[in-house]
Amino acid sequence: MPLIEVAVGAKEAEKTLGSALEMNFFLILAVLGFAIVFYFLKLHRGFLHARGVAFLGAASTVFVVVGLGLEHYWVAQCPIHPEKLRLNQVIFRNNIKFLEARPDDVKAQFPYWVSDGTLLDVVRESKTMKLWDHDTDVAMIYDLDADPGAEKLKADMEAFLEQKHCEDCKVVWRPDAQHLQIYSGSLAHGDIWVWQRGKVIDGEAWVTTPSRLFKHVDKRLKESWLAPPKRMTWHVDNNPIEVSVPNNSDEYLTWLFGKSYMTPYRNRIQCAENIWIHAHPSWKICYLLVAAVAAYFMHGYLLTLARSGRLRANSNRA
């Protein structure tokens, strides 16, 4: 595979796109709905029949409720299902225990570190995992070309979880992105991303892993940023845990998220994904129920106005 050295990480590009859309588009959606309703109330004669006015008015009401509902969810920090958050914490601790339980020589040869968004929590000394983060991330250096490679890593994890009596746990190897996904039931999962040692360029050792954005392209990092890892104690959820972090966390996180990585950031696009996939069902049910009821009453109200002639629609077409 060709190699690319990303000066600004993919997540920084995603953040830049998210910032461009941080114009409160949930509220814009609601305002658009209000505008459409207002326009229908000012319709010129003969443009639409009564049923058309009522139907489109009801549809615009859904815009209003959904827009306001999503903004409410955003203000609440886009929380995932509470049980999923709890299971994510359990999975993360199990993943750390699995990697820590390896013999010292193996840990030295194939080090691990907390990575991605979970590393942000560690370096920011967060007292809890982010309410909106739907998984946890750990990374490691490993030789996938050796026999049996990924199969041994997967089998070792399964044996470890069996010792922990985790009956609903499942381990899945994703060869396209080179990572293990550890599931607990259908709610939660944690990732262990695998990097492989690559070429030595100008005396600098590099590690590589497949890009998640581009097929047949690898991304690479300086191994000196990652190994040997440093030790940190993360005081999370009133239950401290000692973890490994990259040797140069600043360079690593700047590569991933940009220089402002210490500033917490939420993306409205990810928030919309959370409400649909990861949130507690009561949030979705509440918003959809309110939207349906509001649309029903708006439909009836506009239909009554149109048929009574108070809304300027062509009564001959009603």
Side-chain angles (χ1 to χ4, degrees), residues 3 10 29 48 74 87 89 92 98 101 105 114 132 142-143 147 177 202 206 218 220-221 224 273 304:
L3 295 176
L29 187 65
L48 281 175
W74 163 260
L87 289 174
Q89 297 167 355
F92 174 75
F98 165 72
D105 59 333
V114 179
W132 62 88
Y142 194 73
D143 187 1
D147 186 26
D202 296 330
W206 296 79
D218 279 354
R220 67 183 183 181
L221 280 174
S224 60
E273 176 192 0
T304 300

Side-chain angles (χ1 to χ4, degrees), residues 40-41 43 48-58 61 294-315 317-318:
F40 287 152
L41 293 174
L43 276 175
L48 281 175
H49 58 71
R51 285 194 179 88
V53 171
F55 174 77
L56 293 176
T61 304
Y296 174 80
F297 281 105
M298 179 60 75
H299 179 275
Y301 174 67
L302 292 178
L303 190 60
T304 300
L305 285 182
R307 286 177 170 171
S308 66
R310 294 174 64 187
L311 186 66
R312 290 185 295 170
N314 190 341
S315 58
R317 297 176 63 191

